[in-house]
Amino acid sequence: MAPKTALLIIDMQRYFESMTTTALPNIKRLITHFQHTSSPIIFTQHGHTPDELSGKTSNQLVRKWGPNGSIAINSHAWHIQDSLQHYLKDTPSPTTKPSSKRPRIVLKNTYDAFINTNLQQILDEANVQRVVVCGVMTDCCCDTTARSAFNRGFETWLVGDACGSANRKQHEAGLRGFGFAFGEILGTEEACGRLGEEE
């Protein structure tokens, strides 16, 4: 029996729009495939609270990039990109029970989407055994979340042509590092093909 698979779409927010023009059509193709099979789709959304941005709490990313280089929750840049908004219609809040019929949103404030979130619980409740990771940035949140999934026992695919980063060098470095010691690097066509064979 094929492992139950979830699609993790990492941080496809307005803030990163310029980094994802090439990846976006492939992400949409993956979403369509997962919708067709009623498999879980989870979006992550990265952002920081006013307390984090003011320095009242010790968030390492805010310390690294500074308040002006960080994404404020509810800012214009924080929202999911406009071209993906229709996929999120009727999306349940982060506190409702998971459903394979509708995407979920997991709010996060670190590179790793498993830290300080309920992502593990969502995947466990849906009996997920494999995750397919795409989004932005390849060498930061995508790579870190994919490594964390691998380390937690999930079979993990990172879809190279459905990820984006600040430049090609960083993108390719993220793929190389993950592929060397962690899960598989696949293209969108190959990922959809493999999943299709399991249906």
Side-chain angles (χ1 to χ4, degrees), residues 8 10 44 108 110-114 119 131 133 140-150 156 178:
L8 301 185
I10 307 297
T44 69
K108 68 184 191 66
T110 70
Y111 293 139
D112 185 342
F114 286 92
L119 178 57
V131 294
V133 180
C140 292
C141 294
C142 293
D143 172 62
T144 305
T145 297
R147 289 181 186 221
S148 187
F150 177 90
T156 309
F178 181 79

Side-chain angles (χ1 to χ4, degrees), residues 7-120:
L7 179 63
L8 301 185
I9 304 166
I10 307 297
D11 300 353
M12 286 296 289
Q13 296 160 252
R14 290 171 179 161
Y15 185 89
F16 300 108
E17 201 156 6
S18 65
M19 300 182 193
T20 59
T21 53
T22 302
L24 185 59
N26 294 320
I27 291 169
K28 290 180 177 179
R29 184 177 172 192
L30 289 167
I31 293 171
T32 299
H33 180 90
F34 276 74
Q35 286 179 324
H36 173 73
T37 59
S38 296
S39 298
I41 300 170
I42 301 161
F43 283 78
T44 69
Q45 193 169 7
H46 189 95
H48 299 282
T49 65
D51 279 353
E52 288 173 334
L53 295 172
S54 70
K56 291 180 181 175
T57 63
S58 180
N59 183 284
Q60 286 294 96
L61 292 191
V62 175
R63 292 173 77 179
K64 165 72 177 171
W65 301 108
N68 293 332
S70 302
I71 306 170
I73 290 175
N74 292 324
S75 66
H76 177 81
W78 176 76
H79 290 281
I80 300 296
Q81 293 177 22
D82 294 346
S83 63
L84 296 174
Q85 284 290 335
H86 67 282
Y87 295 112
L88 296 171
K89 186 179 179 183
D90 301 322
T91 296
S93 75
T95 58
T96 58
K97 285 204 170 278
S99 166
S100 61
K101 303 292 184 187
R102 299 177 296 179
R104 295 291 305 265
I105 295 179
V106 170
L107 305 180
K108 68 184 191 66
N109 67 350
T110 70
Y111 293 139
D112 185 342
F114 286 92
I115 294 178
N116 304 327
T117 75
N118 63 340
L119 178 57
Q120 178 82 52

